[in-house]
Structure formats: structure tokens, C-alpha cells
Amino acid sequence: GAGVSQSPSNKVTEKGKDVELRCDPISGHTALYWYRQSLGQGLEFLIYFQGNSAPDKSGLPSDRFSAERTGGSVSTLTIQRTQQEDSAVYLCASSLAESSYNEQFFGPGTRLTVL
Amino acid sequence: GDSVTQMEGPVTLSEEAFLTINCTYTATGYPSLFWYVQYPGEGLQLLLKATKADDKGSNKGFEATYRKETTSFHLEKGSVQVSDSAVYFCALGSSYKLIFGSGTRLLVRP
């Protein structure tokens, strides 16, 4: 079946602009996660959605970052007023349920470059 | 808080050599442990996992044993191939999210 898909695959933007990154999880997966992979920070958790519960936003680095998940499926990560330190690969993952036992399936990522 | 420490890379080996990539963790409770692999130009893939102490995860010739007494989950393979060249990430499941190590790049030369 189809895996996790993300778009765009690459995004180049100018400092100060807003960007939206999209994630389509695997059908039937109720849990959705965003991570960021950067040279300086490695792989870090950003935000987590599970069903209709309030998301866990504890990993978002600043209030310029926000995310939503519509209809329990597609998710959008928005970064406002982008800064150069936001340059990274943004990874989305999904899993069947919220559990540390469940495998998270990762998308190919969106490479964001802020000039 | 929970954390994962893995050996710095890059690790360069000749084909058919023995591989060990060290991983240790700090966590409250008994987390699940994972090894993920990222091949060049591809996304993260689960390589293997273990959910409790003394469990051994294995896949594609790779193995790792959950050692509670040493808080370790070292990755091993008896004979590496050029196609194993990739970045390997050790991770632990902290409630629902994954906490990753910094990654170890493996380069296997023919």
C-alpha cells in the first residue's frame, strides 16, 4: 500500500516568508508525528496528533511554528516568518496508534532551505 | 529526560567485515528500543526493534539485544555489504514519541 507522502520534496524560501509543509499519512493510521532533522540538532520531535485529542506541541521550537490535522488525516506544518535556522529536513511519520511499541512509518521528508 | 547516545561516525569498513555500532540510553521505565536506517536519498526505515529486556531484534542480518543492566542496544552484523552503507539511528520510545541518537554513518568499501 501507499506509504507516508510529503510535499513539496524541496522548498526554498526567503527569510521572513511563511511556508506550509504537507503530510499524507498511511490510511488508517490514527497517530501522526512531525520531526525535524538538522545538522546541528539531529532528529528532534516537533508535534504529535492522535485522533481527536489535543495535539502535543511540546517540541515546537517557537510560536512561529504551528500544525493542524484536518479530518484526522492530512496534516499541515506552517512556519511563519522563516529564519535561516529553520533550514532542515522536516519529516512526517504515522503509526497505527499512540504507543511506544508501534512502528512509526516515515515519509521522505521536505527539505526546507531559508535564504 | 530520556536520551540516546550512539557512537560517532563515520564508520568505514571493508566488505564482509564485522560491524558494531554502540548505543546506550537513559530513560525512566522500560522503553521500547529501535534501530532506524536511512539509505542515501531515502527516508527513515525501521530496521529492527525490541520491546523488553533481553529481547533480540533482528532483520537483514542485523541484530541488537535489549540489555537493561547496561542500558544498551548495540547494533551488530557479522558480514557487511556495500549495500549496507547508510546512516543508522538508535531510538527509544518515550511514551508515544521517538527520541533519536545523533546517527552513525556507515561506509562499506568493496
Side-chain angles (χ1 to χ4, degrees):
Chain A
V4 177
S5 60
Q6 293 185 245
S7 61
S9 56
N10 280 284
K11 177 71 176 179
V12 180
T13 190
E14 293 179 349
K15 178 181 171 181
K17 296 289 180 73
D18 298 350
V19 295
E20 284 190 353
L21 312 179
R22 177 188 168 102
C23 171
D24 279 278
I26 293 173
S27 177
H29 281 193
T30 58
L32 186 148
Y33 316 77
W34 283 97
Y35 294 86
R36 180 168 71 173
Q37 186 174 21
S38 57
L39 280 176
Q41 302 296 323
L43 265 160
E44 52 180 343
F45 165 80
L46 297 178
I47 188 169
Y48 154 75
F49 295 90
Q50 169 59 28
N52 295 320
S53 302
D56 177 353
K57 306 178 183 180
S58 61
L60 294 179
S62 78
D63 58 8
R64 296 185 295 104
F65 288 72
S66 63
E68 62 177 22
R69 188 178 185 190
T70 54
S73 181
V74 171
S75 177
T76 303
L77 177 69
T78 300
I79 309 174
Q80 295 179 309
R81 306 181 301 283
T82 52
Q83 303 295 313
Q84 288 182 333
E85 62 262 28
D86 299 334
S87 296
V89 177
Y90 289 82
L91 296 171
C92 177
S94 68
S95 68
L96 277 171
E98 59 165 44
S99 168
S100 62
Y101 302 105
N102 287 308
E103 176 183 356
Q104 294 184 20
F105 293 81
F106 284 81
T110 293
R111 181 176 297 277
L112 175 66
T113 303
V114 182
L115 301 177
Chain B
D2 296 351
S3 65
V4 175
T5 302
Q6 62 181 104
M7 63 188 288
E8 295 282 335
V11 173
T12 303
L13 296 173
S14 297
E15 204 165 24
E16 299 183 2
F18 184 86
L19 168 71
T20 300
I21 300 178
N22 290 335
C23 171
T24 57
Y25 67 91
T26 302
T28 53
Y30 305 101
S32 293
L33 300 174
F34 305 84
W35 277 99
Y36 278 81
V37 59
Q38 190 171 34
Y39 297 103
E42 299 185 17
L44 274 171
Q45 306 172 25
L46 179 67
L47 180 59
L48 53 83
K49 72 176 185 181
T51 58
K52 61 182 187 297
D54 299 325
D55 265 3
K56 178 185 282 188
S58 61
N59 186 26
K60 299 181 181 180
F62 290 88
E63 293 183 340
T65 301
Y66 190 142
R67 300 286 188 199
K68 177 169 166 286
E69 63 277 12
T70 54
T71 61
S72 65
F73 193 54
H74 304 321
L75 182 69
E76 296 182 335
K77 186 174 185 181
S79 176
V80 293
Q81 306 300 311
V82 172
S83 57
D84 293 326
S85 297
V87 181
Y88 293 81
F89 293 91
C90 185
L92 68 82
S94 179
S95 72
Y96 47 80
K97 64 190 177 193
L98 293 172
I99 294 176
F100 289 90
S102 56
T104 303
R105 181 176 299 277
L106 171 66
L107 177 60
V108 181
R109 300 192 184 279

